[in-house]
């Protein structure tokens, strides 16, 4: 099993040599990020590029070309994300609806127990939805890589193969620890970006420049975990 530091170090080097050293590719990716952001993910060219990163287990970052294919692959990734998130969304909406109805009933009742009950139900629902979201994310991260290898959308939902690949590869325990580390790194990155955006103009330029790098960094970590390397 590859070590956590090796996986992260390899992903960092991948970003450096593939994008920072090839700055023209980096600039194109920034432009594509702007397009994806302003079209509210309707033109998901960066997502399509991430699919290309997932599909290649080597350490050579892919070129940014064939924009039609990037668009199609980006929408495949959108569809996978939406379908995987449906259970968490249903739980959040169901408990949220019950909580709202109970809270409204409490406003018209003499006592406040219904109101308190509604808040409790809503809170429990959001907590359950969050737990389901975390579990789904663990599988979905590998589903991205699994379908990217073949290009077949249905492969993203081969849950048995995906979970078996995790078990036989890095192992579930190590995989969960790996993503706890990644979530912590993402939190640090989020706070850094939040701080930078407080600086007029310069902060937003940093946000535009760093976000694509971070997306590719996370995608490469996904790929390294899936392929159980470096």
């Amino acid at each position: 099993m590859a070590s956590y530091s090796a996986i992260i170090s390899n992903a960092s080097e991948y970003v450096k040599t593939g994008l920072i050293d090839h700055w023209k590719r980096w600039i194109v990716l920034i432009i594509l990020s702007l397009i994806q952001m302003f079209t509210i993910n309707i033109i998901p060219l960066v997502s399509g590029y991430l699919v290309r990163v997932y599909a290649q287990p080597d350490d050579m970052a892919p070129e940014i070309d064939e924009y039609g294919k990037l668009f199609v692959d980006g929408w495949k990734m959108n569809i996978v994300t939406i379908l995987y998130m449906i259970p968490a969304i249903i739980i959040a909406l169901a408990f949220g609806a019950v909580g709202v109805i109970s809270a409204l009933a409490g406003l018209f009742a003499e006592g406040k127990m219904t109101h308190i009950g509604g808040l409790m139900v809503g809170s429990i629902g959001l907590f359950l939805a969050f737990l389901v979201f975390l579990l789904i994310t663990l599988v979905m991260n590998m589903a991205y890589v699994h379908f990217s290898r073949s290009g077949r959308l249905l492969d993203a939902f081969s849950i048995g193969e995906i979970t078996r690949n995790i078990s036989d590869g890095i192992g579930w325990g190590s995989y969960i620890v790996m993503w706890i580390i990644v979530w912590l790194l993402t939190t640090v990155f989020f706070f850094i970006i939040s701080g930078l955006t407080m600086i007029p103009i310069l902060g937003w330029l940093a946000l535009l420049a760093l976000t694509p790098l971070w997306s590719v960094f996370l995608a490469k970590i996904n790929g390294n975990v899936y392929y159980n390397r470096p």
Side-chain angles (χ1 to χ4, degrees):
M1 183 195 75
S3 69
Y4 307 125
S5 60
I7 290 172
I8 293 171
S9 176
N10 176 267
S12 300
E13 184 65 21
Y14 182 86
V15 170
K16 178 184 179 298
T17 58
L19 296 178
I20 297 175
D21 291 347
H22 288 75
W23 58 270
K24 292 182 181 178
R25 189 183 294 160
W26 183 10
I27 291 174
V28 172
L29 203 58
I30 291 172
I31 294 171
L32 297 186
S33 297
L34 282 169
I35 293 172
Q36 183 160 329
M37 179 178 68
F38 283 115
T39 60
I40 320 174
N41 223 31
I42 293 175
I43 306 179
L45 298 178
V46 174
S47 296
Y49 183 72
L50 296 182
V51 170
R52 196 169 291 180
V53 171
Y54 292 136
Q56 299 180 7
D58 56 38
D59 294 327
M60 297 292 292
E63 293 294 335
I64 304 176
D65 53 16
E66 300 182 45
Y67 292 96
K69 190 174 188 311
L70 289 182
F71 178 81
V72 172
D73 286 343
W75 261 104
K76 287 181 180 179
M77 191 169 171
N78 281 350
I79 292 169
V80 170
T81 303
I82 292 169
L83 293 179
Y84 263 93
M85 285 297 110
I86 285 176
I89 294 171
I90 290 175
I91 291 173
L93 290 177
F95 277 89
V98 171
V100 169
I101 292 171
S102 299
L104 289 175
L107 292 176
F108 296 100
E110 293 182 1
K112 296 297 182 181
M113 290 305 297
T114 308
H115 179 66
I116 295 172
L119 292 176
M120 289 181 62
V121 170
S123 299
I124 292 171
L126 289 176
F127 179 70
L128 288 176
F130 179 68
L131 288 180
V132 172
F133 169 78
L134 291 180
L135 292 173
I136 288 173
T137 301
L138 288 173
V139 178
M140 185 173 66
N141 284 329
M142 295 298 98
Y144 289 147
V145 188
H146 195 66
F147 97 83
S148 297
R149 293 166 65 246
S150 64
R152 294 190 297 268
L153 188 60
L154 288 178
D155 284 354
F157 306 98
S158 300
I159 308 297
E161 292 182 28
I162 294 169
T163 54
R164 187 163 52 251
N165 183 77
I166 296 172
S167 299
D168 295 342
I170 190 172
W172 277 100
S174 297
Y175 180 47
I176 291 171
V177 171
M178 179 75 252
W179 276 99
I180 289 173
I181 294 171
V182 169
W183 285 329
L184 290 174
L185 290 174
T186 302
T187 300
V188 172
F189 176 76
F190 173 79
F191 280 113
I192 291 174
I193 289 295
S194 298
L196 289 174
T197 54
M198 297 177 68
I199 305 173
I201 301 177
L202 180 62
W204 287 103
L205 289 176
L207 173 65
L208 291 174
L210 294 176
T211 300
L213 298 183
W214 189 256
S215 298
V216 173
F217 172 71
L218 294 181
K220 183 56 178 172
I221 288 178
N222 271 336
N224 285 344
V225 170
Y226 181 91
Y227 297 111
N228 199 26
R229 63 183 304 273

